[in-house]
């Protein structure tokens, strides 16, 4: 009988009936899903792998692993913690579910169907639900890996905050991460309470119908414990909120003021006690019936939090602080001033009182004539199109940016003699948009790089008023500087896309100059898998199928210098203006990098977008602790620690990152490189913007803003763009742009050495732009030995000190007004603009000469059909006097001469004969065998020639003709003087000759001073 037969095993029965149809569908569905996910993820996988290959090509795989480890450690750790919290609670909820629940209505039908559906699968569903919910905060936690690294590796600042006496390292390194953990945990516990309550409802432990018991004792106990834990986490949050008050934004200043210290902190401490009490009450409620008592207490908790957290502080502010705000806030203002100066590197600004005298003397000029010699007459913004037009060489090159630096140049007339000069430097970058009929091959295999530099002294020009280049052309030619051995630029500013080198195609610099890359940069394309990966990364099939590629081909990508540094050190804030330097025969880019924090106690918060629109975020602490150097050819990135450069204090933040990435940073900086380090403009902008208020060390002055400064207004670059003023008051009706920091070579005092400095002037702050008098100059040193030294040169007039009345020193806007309203300057502009040409003014330079100041403004001209400006004149002013000439020396001589109109003087009386007697013959003064009449006639012809050349757009020829005409006028004047000096007094000539130059000639001669 069948019952007597042995029963087959489970495996045998499974084989007999075959696979279940639903199981087959599940397997097929899973396989399809996996394939779809892989297909959609192929590009992400390729990017991930090629990122690793990029780090490997730079020998920085250790950095890649640590960056990845920081993200994975925090993300996986947070996901695991949250998963365990929710999963364990779901398992407990299932274990506490009632065994039987009577069906009394439609609600119970839903529960019964659910229990039938999940029967035997509760653990699997709980696992999947817990994992799915935990992944969301886990991914959010992974994005906070920077806080995690600082929490793990951060140390001490060796300074304590003024309120709690806690080391500032706690606020910068520990507090941000702890606050995030508490916020995540509080939010996740609330989510867990909701999910557990839903599970208890579906399990039958919670009922919404009024019949019977609404919640079982077991379910109530679990939910009570979760709510108690949530209350304790909130208590921890209150503890951290006490510390966060020290850097919260305030109306007059940032940080905990009188109201925060005397009402908010006590209120928060009271809320801590309430939170603990509520937690205990939830535990006690496990053995009580209902939720009335916890509900009442939680409601009171919310009410108390509202009253003591908002109403009470508002009451204190209104009725205690506002009536006597300065006296109440004085100690807290002092804290804010001290902390802000420390956090922004302004604690050691040196004050120098400048006993201003209105009139500059010849003796003062002679004592600091180097300031005239080194004056930076070439404005980078104005001269950029000139460099582009003169030096771009091919349409596939461009000069994106012009930077100012200093170089030691050999004197060709004196063997071995050198001099340090300010210089303008611009790299000849690749311009992909200029490639004619672009193809993939041209864009990525042929035109792969930029080439060389345009480098010229910033204090001189050639005869045409254009840069006198020391480095120029293709191939690169140098004068007075070492040879540029490796001029190719494979990595530069804003260099997008990728290049493939080592192919069968020639890489062109020009039609006649080609190169073959032999540097270290790039990832080898020596396998089909790598080519396929890069084809996926770039979204182009050509890297996989191109026949021009060989086993020696390499792909160079992430070529923008800022992008390279940001990829290696994404936790640093990068300066917006990298600059190229010529060092050891190579081109290298220096990228300034900053460490920032927004939790420095009592530090004033700064919105970076108000300083530079391209920089995001806010901070109240900043240090330029890293200078990244990128080789333009090899692409190698070297990160130098510069926080202690030339005696500076250690930056604890960069030291924490240096611990996290121990092999990344170097401290041994070559002298050839450090000589080109510049104090960053962005940092200086932040410091000078804040210094306008924070130079006020007295709390009363700070609170009342009675001595607040503003960065000086930027004078218009053209006289055709006048300042809009109120016709009644004469004051500006709209805010003006502020002068941006500018680099220059300067000798601050007669007994000091010339320095390469960064400068920004201040005027008194005013809402209507009426404050225009110069109050101070902020100067940052860039030279080795004094790098980073900040000095404020405070104007004092007629023996006044900085504490006296406002000094009456013309500011840049007033000096510019004096210049542009000068008759000779306006006449010159009229003459130049007569034929469609235009005039533009350069930087307003401020040069000290002992106890006086000289404003210097270069004047450029551009022909109508030309794209380039040439330096044609220099205007200087001191007080109410203006000097105007074709060189700075001529302009200063004109200013010292004091001649208001600068016109060539003509003899007022007839010239007597040379023999002392009366004669009836005409005596005509001569010079070099030519009479004054002939010389002036030739000058008229030259002026006419100058007008013709200006109409034709030939600025170089125009300047040459004008110079020759002016020389002829001087010769004529000398001839007249010679004749006067050799004629006997009292005698008269029978006839005299007087020649008047035409308007064009007069205007040009006057312009020369």
């Amino acid at each position: 009988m069948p019952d007597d037969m042995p029963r087959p095993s489970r495996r045998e029965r499974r084989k007999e009936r075959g696979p279940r149809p639903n199981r087959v569908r599940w397997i097929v569905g899973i396989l399809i899903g996996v394939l779809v996910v892989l297909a959609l993820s192929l590009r992400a996988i390729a990017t991930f792998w090629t990122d690793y290959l990029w780090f490997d090509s730079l020998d920085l795989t250790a950095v890649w692993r640590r960056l990845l480890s920081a993200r994975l450690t925090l993300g996986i750790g947070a996901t695991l913690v949250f998963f365990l919290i929710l999963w364990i609670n779901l398992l407990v909820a299932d274990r506490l579910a009632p065994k039987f629940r009577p069906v009394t209505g439609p609600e119970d039908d839903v529960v019964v169907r659910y229990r039938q559906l999940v029967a035997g699968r509760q653990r699997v569903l709980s696992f999947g639900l817990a994992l799915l919910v935990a992944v969301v905060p886990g991914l959010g936690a992974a994005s906070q890996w920077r806080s995690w690294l600082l929490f793990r590796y951060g140390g001490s600042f060796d300074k304590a905050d003024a309120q709690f006496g806690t080391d500032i390292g706690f606020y910068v390194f520990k507090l941000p991460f702890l606050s995030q953990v508490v916020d995540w945990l509080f939010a996740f516990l609330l989510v867990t309470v909701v999910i557990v309550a839903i599970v208890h409802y579906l399990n039958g432990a919670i009922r919404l119908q009024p019949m019977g018991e609404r919640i079982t004792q077991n379910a109530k106990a679990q939910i009570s414990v979760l709510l108690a834990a949530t209350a304790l986490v909130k208590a921890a949050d209150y503890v951290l909120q006490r510390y966060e008050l020290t850097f919260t934004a305030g109306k007059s200043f940032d940080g905990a003021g009188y109201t925060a210290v005397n009402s908010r902190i006590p209120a928060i401490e009271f809320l801590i006690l309430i939170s603990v009490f509520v937690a205990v009450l939830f535990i006690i409620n496990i053995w009580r019936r209902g939720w009335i008592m916890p509900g009442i207490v939680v409601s009171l908790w919310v009410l108390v939090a509202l009253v003591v957290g908002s109403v009470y502080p508002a009451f204190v502010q209104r009725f205690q602080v506002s009536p006597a705000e300065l006296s109440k806030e004085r100690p807290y203002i002092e804290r804010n001033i001290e902390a802000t100066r420390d956090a922004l590197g302004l604690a050691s600004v040196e004050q120098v009182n400048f006993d201003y005298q209105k009139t500059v003397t010849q003796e003062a000029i002679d004592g600091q004539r180097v300031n005239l010699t080194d004056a930076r007459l070439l404005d980078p913004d104005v001269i950029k199109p000139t460099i582009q037009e003169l030096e771009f060489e091919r349409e596939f090159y461009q000069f994106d940016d012009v930077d100012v630096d200093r170089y030691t140049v050999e004197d060709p007339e004196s063997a071995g003699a050198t001099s340090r000069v300010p210089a303008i430097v611009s790299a000849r970058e690749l311009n992909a948009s200029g490639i004619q009929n672009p193809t993939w091959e041209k864009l990525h295999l042929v035109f792969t790089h930029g080439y060389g530099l345009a480098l010229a002294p910033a204090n001189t020009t050639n005869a045409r008023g254009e840069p006198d280049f020391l480095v120029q052309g293709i191939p690169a030619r140098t004068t007075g500087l070492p040879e540029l051995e490796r001029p190719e630029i494979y990595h530069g500013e804003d260099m997008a896309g990728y290049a493939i080198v080592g192919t069968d195609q020639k890489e062109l610099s020009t039609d006649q100059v080609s190169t073959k890359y032999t540097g270290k940069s790039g990832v080898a394309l020596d396998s089909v898998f790598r080519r396929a990966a890069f084809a996926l990364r770039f979204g182009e099939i050509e890297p996989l199928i191109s026949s021009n590629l060989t086993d020696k081909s390499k792909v160079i990508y992430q070529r923008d210098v800022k992008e390279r540094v940001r990829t290696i050190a994404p936790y640093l804030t990068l300066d917006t203006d990298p600059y190229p330097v010529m060092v050891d025969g190579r081109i290298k880019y220096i990228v300034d990098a900053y460490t920032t924090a927004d939790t420095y106690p009592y530090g004033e918060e700064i919105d970076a977008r108000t300083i530079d629109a391209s920089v995001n975020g806010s901070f109240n602490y900043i240090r330029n602790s890293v200078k990244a150097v990128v080789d333009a050819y090899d692409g190698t990135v070297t990160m130098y620690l510069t926080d202690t450069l030339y005696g500076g204090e250690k930056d604890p933040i960069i030291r924490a990152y240096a611990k996290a990435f121990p092999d990344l940073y170097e401290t041994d900086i070559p002298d050839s490189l450090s000589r080109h380090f510049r104090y960053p403009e962005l940092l200086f902008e932040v410091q000078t913007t804040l210094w306008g208020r924070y130079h006020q060390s007295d709390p009363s002055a700070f609170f009342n803003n009675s001595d607040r400064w503003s960065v000086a207004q930027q004078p218009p670059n053209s006289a055709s763009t006048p300042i809009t003023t109120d016709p009644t008051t004469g004051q500006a009706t709209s805010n003006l742009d502020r002068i941006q920091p500018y680099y220059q070579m300067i000798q601050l005092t007669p007994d000091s050495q010339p320095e390469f400095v960064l400068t920004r002037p201040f005027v008194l702050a005013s809402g209507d732009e009426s404050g225009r008098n110069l109050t101070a100059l902020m100067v940052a040193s860039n030279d080795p030995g004094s790098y980073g030294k900040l000095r404020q040169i405070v104007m004092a007039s007629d023996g006044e000190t900085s504490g006296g009345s406002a000094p009456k020193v013309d500011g840049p806007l007033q000096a510019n007004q004096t210049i542009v309203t000068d008759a000779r300057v306006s006449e010159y502009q009229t003459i130049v603009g007569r034929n469609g040409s235009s005039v533009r003014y350069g930087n307003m330079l401020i040069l000290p000469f002992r106890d006086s100041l000289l404003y210097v403004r270069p004047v450029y001209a551009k022909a109508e059909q030309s794209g380039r400006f040439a330096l044609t004149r220099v205007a200087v002013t001191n007080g109410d006097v203006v000097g105007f000439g074709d060189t700075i020396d001529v302009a200063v001589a004109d200013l010292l001469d004091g001649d208001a109109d600068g016109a060539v003087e003509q003899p007022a009386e007839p010239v007597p004969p040379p023999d002392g007697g009366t004669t009836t013959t005409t005596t005509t003064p001569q010079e070099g065998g030519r009479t004054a009449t002939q010389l002036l006639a030739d000058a008229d012809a030259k002026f006419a020639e100058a007008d013709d050349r200006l109409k034709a757009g030939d600025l170089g020829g125009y300047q040459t003709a004008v110079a020759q005409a002016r020389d002829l006028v001087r010769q004529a004047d000398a001839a007249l003087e010679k004749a006067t000096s050799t004629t006997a007094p009292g005698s008269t000539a029978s006839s005299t000759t007087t020649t008047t130059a035409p308007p064009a000639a007069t205007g040009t001669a006057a312009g020369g001073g």
Side-chain angles (χ1 to χ4, degrees):
M1 298 293 292
D3 291 342
D4 298 331
M5 298 291 290
R7 299 186 66 179
S9 65
R10 182 180 299 177
R11 181 177 298 178
E12 291 172 342
R13 291 198 303 269
R14 189 179 300 161
K15 287 181 180 180
E16 289 178 0
R17 68 172 179 262
R20 296 178 182 177
N22 60 341
R23 181 173 295 177
V24 172
R25 287 195 296 270
W26 271 98
I27 294 174
V28 172
I30 291 173
L31 288 176
I32 293 175
V34 170
L35 291 176
V36 170
V37 171
L38 283 175
L40 295 175
S41 303
L42 276 178
R43 189 168 187 179
I45 294 171
T47 302
F48 180 80
W49 184 35
T50 52
D51 279 344
Y52 169 79
L53 294 176
W54 185 83
F55 276 92
D56 184 57
S57 68
L58 294 172
D59 296 326
L60 293 174
T61 53
V63 174
W64 181 84
R65 286 194 300 269
R66 288 177 177 270
L67 287 170
L68 180 63
S69 174
R71 293 179 173 92
L72 291 179
T73 299
L74 192 56
I76 293 175
T79 301
L80 182 60
V81 170
F82 294 141
F83 165 76
L84 290 175
I85 291 173
L86 183 54
W87 187 48
I88 292 173
N89 276 280
L90 290 177
L91 292 180
V92 171
D94 286 332
R95 181 65 62 89
L96 298 178
K99 302 299 182 183
F100 171 77
R101 172 173 174 167
V103 178
T104 60
E107 173 196 349
D108 298 308
D109 290 338
V110 175
V111 173
V112 170
R113 292 194 192 97
Y114 165 77
R115 298 184 70 171
Q116 290 173 350
L117 180 64
V118 302
R121 301 186 182 92
Q122 289 93 335
R123 292 190 176 184
V124 175
L125 291 175
S126 297
F127 184 91
L129 177 62
L131 184 60
L132 182 64
V133 174
V135 163
V136 176
L139 292 175
S143 65
Q144 302 299 323
W145 58 272
R146 296 174 182 84
S147 298
W148 162 243
L149 286 179
L150 292 178
F151 178 83
R152 181 178 177 186
Y153 294 103
S156 171
F157 270 66
D158 293 328
K159 295 178 182 178
D161 79 288
Q163 177 60 36
F164 298 103
T166 304
D167 189 271
I168 292 174
F170 167 78
Y171 293 90
V172 174
F173 299 130
K174 311 302 181 185
L175 183 59
F177 184 73
L178 291 176
S179 297
Q180 290 165 358
V181 169
V182 169
D183 290 341
W184 294 333
L185 194 55
F186 180 77
F188 195 78
L189 284 174
L190 290 179
V191 171
T192 301
V193 169
V194 173
I195 293 175
V196 167
I198 293 173
V199 170
H200 276 303
Y201 167 75
L202 295 174
N203 285 340
I206 296 178
R207 302 182 64 176
L208 300 181
Q209 296 295 333
M211 297 176 58
E213 188 179 28
R214 288 180 177 271
I215 183 171
T216 66
Q217 186 66 21
N218 290 334
K220 181 181 179 182
Q222 184 180 12
I223 294 175
S224 295
V225 170
L226 285 173
L227 290 173
T230 304
L232 290 176
V233 171
K234 188 59 181 177
D237 184 41
Y238 285 138
V239 172
L240 298 179
Q241 284 182 26
R242 294 166 63 248
Y243 296 105
E244 291 172 353
L245 288 175
T246 60
F247 49 80
T248 53
K251 183 178 180 180
S252 301
F253 60 92
D254 290 349
Y258 181 90
T259 300
V261 171
N262 293 278
S263 64
R264 294 187 183 277
I265 291 178
I268 290 175
E269 291 171 345
F270 182 57
L271 291 174
I272 294 172
L273 296 177
I274 293 178
S275 302
V276 175
F277 176 73
V278 170
V280 173
L281 192 61
F282 274 122
I283 298 299
I284 295 174
N285 195 59
I286 294 174
W287 294 277
R288 295 178 58 88
R289 290 181 60 85
W291 295 87
I292 296 178
M293 186 171 66
I296 293 174
V297 173
V298 171
S299 300
L300 290 175
W301 181 12
V302 174
L303 179 61
V304 170
L306 178 63
V307 172
V308 303
S310 299
V311 177
Y312 176 57
F315 177 86
V316 172
Q317 179 68 32
R318 177 64 184 86
F319 294 99
Q320 293 187 29
V321 177
S322 295
E325 191 166 357
L326 177 57
S327 62
K328 297 289 186 182
E329 300 287 15
R330 178 179 291 272
Y332 309 105
I333 292 174
E334 291 175 347
R335 295 178 181 182
N336 175 257
I337 294 173
E338 181 181 358
T340 300
R341 290 183 175 184
D342 284 339
L344 300 183
L346 294 168
S348 57
V349 174
E350 178 184 334
Q351 177 166 320
V352 179
N353 287 328
F354 192 84
D355 189 12
Y356 176 75
Q357 302 298 319
K358 187 173 183 179
T359 304
V360 67
T361 63
Q362 180 70 60
E363 183 183 1
I365 294 291
D366 293 339
Q368 290 176 262
R369 184 162 290 276
V370 67
N371 282 341
L372 300 182
T373 304
D374 289 340
R376 184 178 60 75
L377 300 178
L378 294 184
D379 185 327
D381 291 334
V382 179
I383 211 68
K384 183 169 72 171
T386 303
I387 296 175
Q388 174 69 21
E389 189 169 324
L390 293 174
E391 280 293 310
F392 81 113
E393 296 287 344
R394 295 293 185 273
E395 62 271 17
F396 47 83
Y397 290 128
Q398 66 183 1
F399 293 89
D400 285 328
D401 188 28
V402 180
D403 294 291
V404 179
D405 201 353
R406 66 285 201 199
Y407 282 82
T408 301
V409 181
E410 292 183 2
D411 186 353
E413 298 179 0
S414 179
T418 60
S419 61
R420 192 174 67 148
V421 299
I424 53 171
V425 187
S426 188
R428 188 180 290 103
E429 304 270 5
L430 181 65
N431 176 26
S433 62
I435 299 174
Q436 298 297 317
N437 302 317
T439 63
W440 180 87
E441 191 175 275
K442 288 182 179 180
L443 290 171
H444 302 290
L445 306 187
V446 178
F447 299 104
T448 58
H449 58 277
Y451 190 98
L453 297 169
L455 190 154
N459 58 338
T460 60
T461 64
N462 59 20
R464 296 183 300 275
E466 297 167 350
D468 189 10
F469 293 107
L470 301 177
V471 181
Q472 61 182 324
I474 301 176
R477 304 183 301 277
T478 61
T479 303
L481 292 171
E483 182 181 355
L484 186 56
E485 300 171 0
R486 188 49 77 185
E488 299 89 352
I489 300 175
Y490 285 84
H491 310 82
E493 290 188 69
D494 301 320
M495 188 173 269
Y498 64 95
I500 300 179
V501 298
T503 68
D504 290 336
Q505 284 287 343
K506 288 184 178 180
E507 300 175 54
L508 295 183
S509 300
T510 65
D511 297 338
Q512 293 79 31
V513 180
S514 62
T515 187
K516 188 176 183 64
Y517 186 75
T518 59
K520 300 177 182 178
S521 186
V523 174
L525 298 174
D526 52 5
S527 70
V528 68
F529 295 105
R530 291 193 174 194
R531 295 187 185 185
F534 283 105
L536 285 169
R537 180 188 181 103
F538 301 135
E540 296 177 329
I541 192 63
E542 285 83 359
L544 180 62
I545 64 174
S546 175
S547 60
N548 286 308
L549 273 61
T550 69
D551 290 340
K552 295 182 179 180
S553 297
K554 296 194 299 182
V555 56
I556 301 175
Y557 54 108
Q558 293 192 10
R559 298 193 292 167
D560 176 70
V561 292
K562 288 192 294 184
E563 182 184 2
R564 291 178 83 82
V565 177
R566 186 178 293 111
T567 303
I568 294 171
Y571 44 84
L572 297 176
T573 300
L574 302 186
D575 194 89
T576 56
D577 185 26
Y579 60 99
V581 297
M582 196 172 79
V583 177
D584 302 327
R586 305 175 75 92
I587 299 172
K588 298 186 178 184
Y589 284 86
I590 298 178
V591 184
D592 286 290
Y594 308 98
T595 56
T596 60
D598 58 3
T599 57
Y600 196 95
Y602 282 99
E604 190 73 11
E605 186 178 33
I606 303 155
D607 185 352
R609 290 170 295 183
T610 62
I611 306 298
D612 192 314
S614 61
V615 181
N616 295 320
S618 59
F619 54 85
N620 62 7
Y621 173 93
I622 186 171
R623 289 289 186 275
N624 174 220
S625 297
V626 176
K627 291 189 182 291
V629 179
V630 183
D631 191 294
Y633 187 72
D634 278 345
T636 53
V637 181
T638 308
M639 310 286 285
Y640 291 106
L641 284 178
T642 55
D643 55 336
T644 58
L645 195 64
Y646 310 120
E649 294 184 358
K650 286 186 178 181
D651 172 23
I653 297 181
I654 196 58
R655 295 294 165 168
Y657 285 127
K659 290 180 183 177
F661 304 95
D663 300 325
L664 181 58
Y665 295 98
E666 297 186 15
T667 56
D668 188 11
I669 306 173
D671 291 340
S672 59
L673 187 64
S674 65
R675 286 197 293 267
H676 292 282
F677 281 172
R678 303 189 315 185
Y679 197 80
E681 290 179 80
L682 178 61
L683 175 61
F684 196 62
E685 280 189 73
V686 171
Q687 292 175 321
T688 49
T689 300
L690 269 293
W691 189 248
R693 185 184 186 195
Y694 281 88
H695 79 93
Q696 304 172 111
S697 56
D698 178 63
S700 298
F702 181 91
F703 180 79
N704 296 312
N705 281 322
S706 57
D707 191 28
R708 185 170 184 169
W709 300 340
S710 292
V711 175
Q713 303 91 341
Q714 171 64 51
N717 290 327
S718 171
S720 61
T721 55
I723 302 169
T724 304
T725 58
D726 188 309
T728 303
T729 64
Q731 301 299 338
T733 58
S734 60
N735 289 331
L736 300 167
D737 291 335
R738 301 294 161 177
I739 291 179
Q740 295 300 304
Y742 57 90
Y743 295 98
Q744 61 177 335
M745 291 281 292
I746 196 170
Q747 185 185 29
L748 292 174
T749 61
D751 56 351
S752 63
Q753 294 297 318
E755 301 178 60
F756 186 66
V757 299
L758 188 58
T759 309
R760 208 176 193 193
F762 293 100
V763 296
L764 284 177
S766 58
D768 59 358
E769 300 291 359
S770 60
R772 300 182 180 182
N773 289 331
L774 186 70
T775 58
L777 292 170
M778 179 75 92
V779 173
S781 177
N782 293 260
D783 290 340
S786 61
Y787 178 90
K789 182 179 181 180
L790 298 177
R791 281 164 285 185
Q792 64 163 350
I793 303 173
V794 181
M795 297 297 107
S797 178
D798 298 328
E800 296 172 358
T801 64
S802 60
S805 60
K808 303 301 187 291
V809 184
D810 282 349
L813 205 60
Q814 296 165 319
N816 178 73
Q817 190 70 8
T818 302
I819 289 173
V820 298
T821 55
D822 182 80
R824 293 163 300 166
V825 178
S826 58
E827 182 182 12
Y828 174 76
Q829 180 161 298
T830 301
I831 293 172
V832 173
R834 183 178 299 164
N835 300 305
S837 301
S838 59
V839 168
R840 184 172 177 180
Y841 299 102
N843 288 125
M844 178 69 78
L845 306 177
I846 305 176
L847 304 180
F849 289 93
R850 191 172 293 175
D851 51 6
S852 189
L853 294 175
L854 196 66
Y855 282 99
V856 177
R857 196 155 204 206
V859 182
Y860 303 86
K862 179 179 77 67
E864 183 178 15
Q865 303 301 324
S866 174
R868 64 180 189 255
F869 284 91
L871 179 67
T872 56
R873 294 289 186 273
V874 178
V876 300
T877 183
N878 171 258
D880 301 324
V881 183
V882 174
F884 195 54
D886 53 1
T887 68
I888 190 171
D889 287 319
V890 171
V892 170
D894 179 52
L895 179 139
L896 293 173
D897 179 62
D899 182 15
D901 57 13
V904 178
E905 295 183 2
Q906 302 296 333
E909 299 292 335
V911 180
D915 58 2
T918 303
T919 179
T920 58
T921 60
T922 300
T923 303
T924 304
Q926 298 187 15
E927 177 70 17
R930 302 172 66 196
T931 66
T933 303
Q934 293 171 330
L935 290 168
L936 289 172
D938 291 343
D940 288 342
K942 282 295 179 183
F943 282 129
E945 178 186 344
D947 285 339
D948 293 337
R949 290 185 178 274
L950 186 61
K951 292 177 183 178
D954 182 8
L955 284 178
Y958 164 76
Q959 285 198 269
T960 301
V962 168
Q964 292 172 348
R966 291 177 66 252
D967 185 60
L968 289 168
V969 171
R970 291 193 189 97
Q971 292 181 37
D973 189 38
L976 289 170
E977 290 180 358
K978 182 177 180 181
T980 302
S981 63
T982 56
T983 302
S987 62
T988 59
S990 60
S991 66
T992 59
T993 303
T994 303
T995 303
T996 303
T1002 304
T1004 310

